[in-house]
Structure formats: C-alpha cells, structure tokens
Amino acid sequence: MKINILTLFPEMFDIFNHSILGRAQKNETLTIEAINIRDYTTSKHKKVDDYPYGGGAGMVMSAQPVVDCIKDIKKKNKGKVIFLGPRGRTFNQEIAKELSKEEELIFICGHYEGIDERAYEYFDMEISLGDFVLTGGEMACIPIIDSIGRLIPGVLGREESFQDESFYSGLLEYPQYTRPEYFEGKRVPEVLLSGHHDNIRKWRRKKSLIITQQRRPDLFKKIQLTKEDVKLLKEK
C-alpha cells in the first residue's frame, strides 16, 4: 500500500520509520510519505491560514495550498482523499479493515480552527477519531494509519496475529499469559498448560464473551451468539 500524508508538520510522522511499520516500509510492503502543505502556498510569507470571514476566534486553513497539494499528489497517488475532521465517521476496526484493502490512500491533516469549506469538494471521505478535540489532524492520523497498516497482508508475521485481537471479531480479547508459570503466587490457568487445543479455544472464546459483556455491553449486544457461545456462557 502507498500512503501520502498531507500535513504542516511532516516531521511528526518519523514515528512510522520504527517498529512494525518501519520494517514493513523496508520490506516495501508499505510506503508512507509525508508531504508539507506549506510548500504549495502562493503566499510569499509561506502563510497557509487566514482570519475567518464573519469573525471568530482563531485562524482557518486556506483552501489554495491544500487543494494545490492534493492536485499535485494525485498525479502519483490515485487513492481516496481522507480528511481528518470532526464531521466524519468515527473511526473503528471496521473502517480500518475497509481501508486496508485499498492500494493507495491520501490523508489530509487539518489544523487551526478548521479548513476553508471550499476544499471539501476534493475530499472523498472524512474520519473522526472520536468526540474530543486535538491540536491537529496529525495526532489522529498516526493511530489511524497504524491501525490500517498492521492489517495489510505481510505487515504482521501471521494473519492470526490480528484476527484474535480486541475489536477484530467484535469482541474484546481474552486474557494472555506468558512465562513464568507462577508469578507472585498466581498461576497460569491450567487449561492453557493442557495442550488440548479445542479446550483452549473454548476457554478463550468464553473469556472474550464474558469480558466484552462486562466491560463493553454496547459491543456485546451486536454479537450474534452461536449455540456454543450460549452454552459456554451458561457454564460455571
């Protein structure tokens, strides 16, 4: 996948040169490039914002540098243009899976008090990280790209690495344990030491169901329980 990030602060995305996504870029499974919107302004003082018509606090990003940047990047990236703003769909795992199937994507990071409305006609999609305020779209862009990138085939070691994770199947993840077998008097559940794969699968499924039911009843209501799920929940 090829991802371009249009931003006023490209240095913030050096984080993608490290860890799993950094390795994916070295393997050429994923390409992430940040583009400075400021390079496209026609202002001799490199301004990318101005006072809002009608008055109000703060500054608004101008349409010109954003639109010209999009037009230029579109010459080498034909992907969807995604603006990170408060009016968009709230990001979740389903959107991550949906976008991970794309070959190319372009993200626009807003800043200041908003962006000139006339730039919106160049956006294909708007995404919000949640109902809270951030200092800029960059802070939302990082977790969104990380979430999408790790779903791309070849980025993680095995597909199972993310299929059992929280939210992928609609459930929160089951408890995990590692060595030593005993820690501060607490032992790893015996079923995980049994080597009986089906019993381990059932235990994990049951724990996921219980944890989701207790901590995220909103998610649990959306789960279509199987006959086995009902039976597992009835067991003591």
Side-chain angles (χ1 to χ4, degrees), residues 61-175:
M61 280 186 75
S62 305
Q64 177 272 314
V66 174
V67 170
D68 284 356
C69 188
I70 292 171
K71 288 179 177 178
D72 187 45
I73 299 306
K74 273 289 190 178
K75 295 174 184 176
K76 58 181 180 179
N77 184 330
K78 305 301 182 185
K80 292 179 179 177
V81 178
I82 302 171
F83 178 62
L84 301 168
R87 302 178 192 170
R89 294 168 61 189
T90 302
F91 189 73
N92 57 27
Q93 189 69 13
E94 287 305 311
I95 297 176
K97 286 191 279 186
E98 173 189 324
L99 293 177
S100 71
K101 297 172 184 176
E102 300 286 335
E103 294 184 3
E104 298 180 322
L105 291 171
I106 299 172
F107 288 90
I108 311 287
C109 300
H111 223 73
Y112 309 116
E113 295 302 315
I115 191 167
D116 191 306
E117 190 72 19
R118 291 166 291 187
Y120 271 82
E121 65 178 275
Y122 293 89
F123 305 154
D124 299 304
M125 183 178 184
E126 184 171 358
I127 291 177
S128 169
L129 196 60
D131 297 335
F132 49 89
V133 180
L134 296 171
T135 55
E138 291 81 8
M139 304 304 291
C141 192
I142 290 171
I144 287 172
I145 289 180
D146 183 73
S147 180
I148 293 167
R150 65 198 311 282
L151 298 179
I152 298 168
V155 171
L156 295 185
R158 297 189 307 166
E159 190 176 359
E160 290 85 354
S161 296
F162 59 75
Q163 285 186 343
D164 288 336
E165 291 176 333
S166 293
F167 304 114
Y168 189 85
S169 63
L171 292 172
L172 298 181
E173 191 177 8
Y174 49 79

